[in-house]
Amino acid sequence: MPEMPPSWPARIRALAAGELTPAAPRAAATVVLLRDAVPGPEAYLLRRRTTMAFAGGMYAYPGGGVDPRDREVRPPWAGPSTAEWAERLGVDEPTACAVVCAAVRETFEEAGVLLAGPDARTLVEPGDWAAERAALESHELSLAEFLTRHRLVLRSDLLAAWARWVTPEFEERRFDTWFFVAALPTGQAAADTVGEADRVAWMTPADAVTGFHEGRFGMMPPTVTVLRELTPMRDAAGALTAAADRDITPVLGRAELAGDRMTVRWPGYDELTVDGVFPA
């Protein structure tokens, strides 16, 4: 059974006592990049630096919060429309646009992989985008400005929505995160160094899950759950096809308090249950 993080008991008690007001979750997106290999598809994982305010030391996928500018200005676009994405993601069109843009932008910033091209059928040629990635990361440049400047269109057809997880109410930092899957585009290579990470690695979902259970890889519940769900996939294309039938109803962990016993459950994911006795 997973262990209770040390910060949880006090915050769970405070929430139950009405002494803690839950933070509003920030909309975010993360992308599981997949590439085909002999043992099966491999996922791109990065280990967040221990100095990071959220999930420090944990393995994660490229991702981050939405940019408010992406709600207001839609970048050059190809693939499913923002209206189609709004229906799939269960949100309004401006939010859907911002979430898809966040997925593309964060994959580019953190992994150096650009899900865009000159038109709806082709992909961008590999190149040195270091300056543009830095400008996007520092918010000096919006995704729409970047794509327009380079006459590129966002390829929303290269993304497939897989899941949606919301950070529990007792956590200090909360995110409403959409998880996407995408195949590594032909001709592109993911970065082997990332500013927010001290290690990056390609691993099969099965190897990553095994490392988690053996205590070698720290992961948040959504990260390891998505890897478990991807384990049966035979290739990246199969994962994108399977995503079309996925239910992306938000998953929210909730805490139960009975005296000194605390239990945190995620509906439908019994393997994630955290339970124990924690005297005040």
Side-chain angles (χ1 to χ4, degrees):
M1 181 177 293
E3 295 183 1
M4 181 82 71
S7 64
W8 283 11
R11 296 187 65 83
I12 289 171
R13 282 194 176 86
L15 180 66
E19 300 167 353
L20 176 66
T21 301
R26 181 186 178 191
T30 190
V31 177
V32 188
L33 271 178
L34 298 169
R35 71 176 185 187
D36 291 328
V38 174
E42 296 176 328
Y44 181 78
L45 290 160
L46 50 89
R47 186 173 64 188
R48 295 170 60 84
R49 295 186 185 277
T50 55
T51 53
M52 298 297 293
F54 182 78
M58 298 287 182
Y59 278 83
Y61 315 112
V66 304
D67 183 339
R69 293 175 292 182
D70 294 329
R71 297 180 186 273
E72 302 161 3
V73 180
R74 195 187 77 173
W77 195 279
S81 67
T82 51
E84 291 174 287
W85 276 110
E87 182 177 357
R88 176 65 177 134
L89 301 180
V91 295
D92 57 34
E93 270 197 70
T95 301
C97 181
V99 169
V100 173
C101 285
V104 172
R105 185 184 62 255
E106 294 293 332
T107 303
F108 185 44
E109 284 181 18
E110 297 192 351
V113 173
L114 182 53
L115 303 176
D119 54 51
R121 297 175 301 280
T122 56
L123 285 164
V124 66
E125 292 290 333
D128 181 5
W129 299 99
E132 288 82 0
R133 289 168 63 195
L136 285 166
E137 186 173 5
S138 64
H139 300 288
E140 297 173 14
L141 187 67
S142 73
L143 184 65
E145 291 168 338
F146 163 67
L147 293 174
T148 300
R149 184 176 301 176
H150 293 278
R151 298 183 180 180
L152 298 172
V153 297
L154 181 153
R155 291 282 306 276
S156 77
D157 58 305
L158 300 180
L159 289 167
W162 188 268
R164 180 182 178 184
W165 288 70
V166 182
T167 312
E169 293 181 332
F170 52 80
E171 282 277 32
E172 182 177 2
R173 295 174 181 271
R174 302 187 65 214
F175 296 91
D176 182 353
T177 306
W178 282 263
F179 286 71
F180 296 86
V181 292
L184 179 68
T186 302
Q188 294 195 44
D192 55 11
T193 58
V194 177
E196 295 183 354
D198 58 15
R199 185 192 176 201
V200 299
W202 286 98
M203 287 184 269
T204 65
D207 286 345
V209 171
T210 297
F212 167 79
H213 285 299
E214 293 177 351
R216 293 183 287 113
F217 306 145
M219 294 181 195
M220 300 292 283
T223 306
V224 68
T225 298
V226 169
L227 287 167
R228 285 195 188 104
E229 293 167 342
L230 287 170
T231 298
M233 301 297 144
R234 294 188 175 185
D235 53 32
L240 269 70
T241 299
D245 297 322
R246 295 275 307 169
D247 177 7
I248 54 172
T249 301
V251 179
L252 173 64
R254 295 193 180 277
E256 302 167 6
L257 182 62
D260 289 334
R261 177 168 291 281
M262 295 183 182
T263 307
V264 181
R265 306 180 193 277
W266 282 263
Y269 298 91
D270 291 342
E271 70 278 5
L272 298 177
T273 300
V274 182
D275 180 76
V277 175
F278 301 90

